[in-house]
Amino acid sequence: MTSCAECGADEGLVGYSARAGGAVCLGCRDEATLSLGPDSLAGIEELLRRPLSEALAAGLNARAVRDALAVVNASHEYHGGFRLPTLSA
């Protein structure tokens, strides 16, 4: 989540691509990219660095929490082939 999963750029990240398996920059973004702001990207990176039991200590704001759930859902839908009913809104 700190560099583009497509080209490796470490600046200008604008979202998450389940197909690419990580953050993407504006140039690598496609129609399936989830748009994410800097706070959400940083929050998701912080979650990835912690054990799940410490997720609350990451201090994500409400938007970053929603975005993190959207990333989990998009990843599962892309790689698993179906949507998780408990995460669907």
Side-chain angles (χ1 to χ4, degrees):
M1 299 302 288
T2 59
S3 63
C4 180
E6 293 283 0
C7 72
D10 58 0
E11 294 183 5
L13 300 175
V14 296
Y16 174 80
S17 168
R19 181 191 54 74
V24 291
C25 67
L26 187 59
C28 294
R29 173 189 179 100
D30 65 20
E31 65 281 345
T33 299
L34 291 173
S35 294
L36 299 174
D39 287 345
S40 294
L41 288 164
I44 293 166
E45 175 64 22
E46 183 63 28
L47 287 173
L48 290 170
R49 293 175 189 260
R50 296 173 176 269
L52 187 57
S53 63
E54 296 176 10
L56 290 176
L60 275 65
N61 62 34
R63 173 66 187 255
V65 169
R66 285 191 305 274
D67 287 347
L69 283 173
V71 164
V72 168
N73 201 25
S75 296
H76 190 272
E77 186 173 341
Y78 181 81
H79 295 287
F82 63 94
R83 209 166 169 85
L84 295 169
T86 58
L87 295 180
S88 301

